[in-house]
Amino acid sequence: MRSFALIPFLLGLSVSVDVKSGSVCVNDIPCFSTVLPATTLTSLVAAQQTQFNLSSTSPPSSDPVEQIYWKDNLSLLPDASDGFNYTAVWRPNFEDIDAPVKLLKLHGCGYTCTVRSGDTVLLRDSGFWRSRLVDVSNFNLSTLTITTSPPPFPGLVTSRCPVDPPPGSPNCGQGGDHVLARNAGAMQFAAGWDWAQGIPDRVSGLFSRVEVISSHPVRVSDGALRTKDVEEGVVDVVYSLNGIDGAEEVEGKAKLRIEFKGEVVVEVESELLSVSEGSREFAFTGVSIPSVELWWPFTMGASPLYTLTVSFLGSAYTWRAGVRKVETYIDSRTRGRGFKVNGEKFFIQGGNWIATDAMLQRGGRERYEDEVMMHKFNGLNLIRVWGGGLPERDEFYSACDEMGVMVMQEFWMSGDNNGRWGGEYDYPDDKEAYLEMVEDTVLRLRGFTSLLFWGGGNELWPAGQSPPPVIRAGLESLVNSLDDRFLIMSSMDGGYDGLNMTLHDDSFALAVKDGPYGFLDFKQYYTENNPGMVNGSEVIVSFQPEVGGSSMTTMEGLGRMGLDAGGGFPGWRDEGVPPLWDYHKFQGYSYTGLDGEDRDAIWDYGEPGDLQGYVDRAWAACLQQYQALFEGFTMKMFGDYREGGKTAIIMWKSQTPWPSLRGFMYDWWMETVGMGEGVRAGTGGEGRWKVGVDLGKGGGVTVVNRGVEEVGAGAVEVKAFGWGGEEVGEGVRVEVGRVKGGEVVKVGGGVVAEWAEGLEGKGTVLVRVRGEVEGGERAESWYWLNRVGGEWDMSYEDMGSWSEGGEVEGRLEEVEEGGLGDWWCGKMVFKVNRGRGCLVNPRFKGYDGNGERVLPLMVGSGLVTLNDGEEVEWEVRARREIVRLEVVGWGGGGGSVERRDTIESTHK
């Protein structure tokens, strides 16, 4: 299989050694051994030091990160604001290398970071997001120490802020008391948010790789490919040459080699260059790549990457990049910000990303590949790296490059803490340090093809104050001089609370308003221009950077969090939330229907009898909610602004940095949940086109083509089925013409509306929308719907009480060449037995040969499989080989399939 392993951005190295262990001294605690990387907090917990010994709380794991997140263990640990000194002195167990030039590379050190050899200070600075490279050629590595400490202004975490602060005290909210934002380049959510608790040491330590490398005195670095002409394959390749301090002037010619599919396609040489100490930027310009193959987001095409190497004397820098050209524009129909890739409109269906882990301890290559793959599998073609968080590690962007998932990267500010709603407009204090980190980040990330554009921060406003003028000018200067991408300062403006169109500036912000952040009557996604938004019909929101709400893990997930004890769960309209659920930021399921009635999406399926019933109902409620969200927004793709036309929809949020109870397609352990299944149902997954039914008043079927090539003419069939698989009423068939790339076609409103009226009083039915076009291409969508009083009503009590789910019989087969890098690829081949109900809303557990659960697990299932005797195939992806797959359907259905020819079903 092709490997997705990151090709290192080489620093002219012949040897590279990662340091995996060492010792650390914290405060007055005796020095102790530690693994690396680690934060000060995780090292203390792993060593069970005094008040950091959490073993007595009986977490199910020996992993210190999981121990810290178990139940409310975070609240038991001393906080930086309590006066506990988290300053740590680290002594990594360096393995020396024989080289004339040795460099210490700290991939993650902070907040303050000091490198010493004895009394000699080799480096002293602050901020999390710096590129730290220290020349240690003249020092014995065993003498090196690294001292880290938390930000000097740690602030109060959200859980320790007063609810009603006294006059003159900071208001408490997102980011705690907002003081953490005073520090340049801090991770603001480390003080807590409405979806995360604060981290006691504010994530200080050696939180990413410690590496020793050999180098040439002049290094090549920071390479980037810039596409000038996509038709002719003409590109510029920029790079830097860096001489170490005291390096003598040298002369030489740089060489560029470009390879594709194992063949060298370009070899060019520069003129004679002269370099000494310091850094200078150079470029190969007007390079022509023969028979170029363009890189596209996966929803528009393939994402091929070329391998580039720039060498100079003894140094070389190698990276992978795609040939693609990005443009931004104001769409004439939607009247908002849009983007084009290779000259074609790019409709963004994305997710908001925080971090793999709130303590930055889950950042390996596999973790990034897994999370990016789950975004792609669920049909999301962009990830917004949110401004209250971080710039991610290189492995994240490499995974996005490989998989054709684009990235919106924000810098580290938020309106919650930088003046708009809390904190001060003048934060951070050290603006020079902030801009130094911006420069490092732009240089580090500019070589990644998936990076679509830069954002100055989250929800910053007003333009003249946020970001501070010095930082705004610096951002514009650095991005314009070092990169060729677009920079927009804010995700949302529109006045203090948004919505004021007279205070919206398309050149400053993406939207006049974002949100909302809770459950809606699902019909709102189809009927409203800006679903759920107050006065949403009066504003234009073409690019929606945040919208979404609740999510729920599985029963196993609740057990991993320690939240299943006693079996308690919230009541009607989220009353009586268990304290530990509240601590893990539970967000509820109450909403107001379009009829004005108070509703609860859990109780829509009937009152749950136990915790399992609550969790099952939450899965179904989330699935339907997020299917409607993405279908409704996508039906407005590039439409007229008067009808809510959209260029982008980015859900809030697609993943979680700790075990929470809101906003994630998969939980912190990477188990798929109902939200993820709903997103995939709403986008169509990895397919380029999708069929659906408009659940608004107009009815009709829709064909959405988010690709470049047109979808051929064909027909869409709509049928309803009962829970035993029998047809309910007569279906309808609607002819559909060709659908161009980036187009939505809606037809058959009258006949579909008439069909819908025939379902009145039939109770909850299963609805299949199946499209087939020229060439035999098929697309299919399923829903469960209940027609009451001429409307689609969210009352599914009959579904909640149904217990006749169909049994599965079949087999699990390996696919030898799945083309998915390191993943195991297989297929589930099965049918649902006659004489019982359909398989509805299936959930899966995969097991390896040792009987252990395998996560993540992705199964390309449909929401419903009929018991019609037909054999069905579903794709299966997993990080390790699967030998058994358990299937659990709604209403008790399911079974088990194994790696042999056939098996008898085990009814669940």
Side-chain angles (χ1 to χ4, degrees), residues 59-137:
S61 172
S62 60
D63 183 327
V65 177
E66 295 191 25
Q67 290 184 0
I68 291 168
Y69 293 155
W70 171 255
K71 294 187 175 180
D72 59 353
N73 276 358
L74 267 170
S75 67
L76 307 179
L77 300 170
D79 193 84
S81 63
D82 296 336
F84 184 87
N85 185 0
Y86 277 100
T87 297
V89 179
W90 308 79
R91 291 184 178 273
N93 294 329
F94 290 109
E95 179 181 336
D96 208 350
I97 56 178
D98 185 15
V101 178
K102 291 182 287 190
L103 302 175
L104 171 63
K105 185 170 179 61
L106 301 176
H107 293 261
C109 179
Y111 177 79
T112 64
C113 185
T114 303
V115 179
R116 292 184 175 90
S117 174
D119 295 330
T120 304
V121 176
L122 307 183
L123 170 77
R124 178 182 285 133
D125 60 22
S126 62
F128 286 121
W129 320 129
R130 291 181 182 274
S131 298
R132 294 179 170 98
L133 201 63
V134 186
D135 185 355
V136 293
S137 306

Side-chain angles (χ1 to χ4, degrees), residues 384-548:
R384 175 194 178 197
V385 184
W386 172 73
L390 75 167
E392 271 294 0
R393 298 171 175 95
D394 290 358
E395 290 86 347
F396 165 76
Y397 303 94
S398 178
C400 290
D401 284 357
E402 293 279 0
M403 298 183 206
V405 177
M406 302 213 80
V407 177
M408 168 188 170
Q409 177 67 57
E410 288 186 326
F411 296 106
W412 323 290
M413 288 189 178
S414 174
D416 300 280
N417 299 298
N418 290 89
R420 186 177 192 168
W421 298 302
E424 301 291 339
Y425 286 120
D426 199 46
Y427 288 171
D429 290 358
D430 191 342
K431 295 169 180 57
E432 181 179 357
Y434 186 94
L435 292 173
E436 288 171 356
M437 283 178 270
V438 168
E439 180 176 10
D440 284 351
T441 299
V442 173
L443 286 171
R444 180 170 66 87
L445 301 187
R446 68 180 184 176
F448 292 101
T449 305
S450 53
L451 182 56
L452 179 64
F453 70 103
W454 302 96
N458 172 59
E459 300 172 333
L460 303 181
W461 183 86
Q465 294 178 272
S466 186
V470 171
I471 287 182
R472 177 171 181 174
L475 286 171
E476 292 171 340
S477 175
L478 289 167
V479 171
N480 290 338
S481 63
L482 300 175
D483 197 23
D484 62 344
R485 291 174 176 84
F486 175 67
L487 166 68
I488 195 160
M489 284 298 156
S490 178
S491 60
M492 188 265 277
D493 57 4
Y496 182 80
D497 289 320
L499 288 175
N500 188 334
M501 288 299 298
T502 65
L503 296 177
H504 173 61
D505 179 357
D506 280 320
S507 67
F508 177 78
L510 296 171
V512 69
K513 180 66 175 176
D514 52 21
Y517 302 96
F519 255 60
L520 301 179
D521 185 319
F522 78 86
K523 297 185 291 297
Q524 292 177 261
Y525 293 112
Y526 300 92
T527 60
E528 297 180 3
N529 286 1
N530 295 299
M533 189 178 291
V534 177
N535 299 324
S537 62
E538 301 174 12
V539 296
I540 299 170
V541 181
S542 169
F543 191 119
Q544 175 52 278
E546 296 181 17
V547 63

Side-chain angles (χ1 to χ4, degrees), residues 689 710-716 735-739 772-777:
W689 66 287
E710 73 176 10
V711 173
V716 179
E735 301 297 320
V736 180
R738 294 177 178 273
V739 183
E772 185 167 354
V773 300
E774 296 167 348
E777 277 192 88

Side-chain angles (χ1 to χ4, degrees), residues 298-299 349 374-381 683 685-686 706:
F298 79 88
T299 48
Q349 296 164 299
M374 294 189 82
H375 281 73
K376 179 180 180 180
F377 179 72
N378 289 333
L380 300 187
N381 57 23
T683 62
E686 294 172 88
R706 56 184 183 169

Side-chain angles (χ1 to χ4, degrees), residues 739-751:
V739 183
K740 298 177 182 178
E743 184 178 41
V744 179
V745 170
K746 179 179 174 180
V747 293
V751 295

Side-chain angles (χ1 to χ4, degrees), residues 41 68 74 77-81 86 150 157 190 198-203 359:
L41 179 63
I68 291 168
L74 267 170
L77 300 170
D79 193 84
S81 63
Y86 277 100
V157 294
I199 304 301
D201 68 348
R202 308 301 184 268
V203 200
M359 294 185 293

Side-chain angles (χ1 to χ4, degrees), residues 78-84 86 150-162 170-183 186-188 190-192 198-202 417 423 427:
D79 193 84
S81 63
D82 296 336
F84 184 87
Y86 277 100
F153 306 105
L156 295 175
V157 294
T158 303
S159 61
R160 298 182 181 220
C161 285
N171 64 313
C172 184
Q174 314 286 49
D177 66 355
H178 318 292
V179 172
L180 185 60
R182 286 186 64 179
N183 306 280
M187 192 166 68
Q188 292 189 5
I199 304 301
D201 68 348
R202 308 301 184 268
N417 299 298
Y427 288 171

